Amino acid sequence: MAGFLDRAKEQAQRGLTQGKQKIDEVQEKRAGDALLKKLGAAYYAERRGTGSAQDTQQALQALESHIATNGDGFLHGS
């Protein structure tokens, strides 16, 4: 009986770990999407004359920092 309980506990722990990893991936994707949207908006505003190159550069740097930390998987529509 103890072996069964140990296996069940192990499977439950594995499930929790996998669930947390999936949540983290979704949050990272959302953050990347938001940064990409911000970059697009900054670039658009700059091109229309209502934004600045500095705003665009800051948005680009924030996106690049996110990619360096989390990868660029969100760019590939995964």
Side-chain angles (χ1 to χ4, degrees):
M1 184 70 167
F4 171 77
L5 292 176
D6 288 341
R7 284 192 305 272
K9 182 179 175 183
E10 205 174 282
Q11 286 178 335
Q13 186 62 41
R14 210 172 320 138
L16 288 173
T17 300
Q18 290 172 344
K20 183 179 179 338
Q21 287 173 341
K22 187 62 177 174
I23 289 171
D24 290 345
E25 288 172 14
V26 169
Q27 289 175 337
E28 289 167 5
K29 181 182 181 327
R30 286 183 181 165
D33 289 346
L35 289 169
L36 189 59
K37 183 178 178 181
K38 185 175 180 178
L39 173 60
Y43 178 75
Y44 179 76
E46 180 184 350
R47 296 293 291 180
R48 292 199 30 100
T50 58
S52 69
Q54 181 180 0
D55 290 340
T56 303
Q57 186 61 35
Q58 287 174 343
L60 178 61
Q61 288 173 341
L63 179 62
E64 288 175 339
S65 176
H66 177 80
I67 290 171
T69 302
N70 303 297
D72 66 352
F74 71 95
L75 293 173
H76 307 292
S78 48

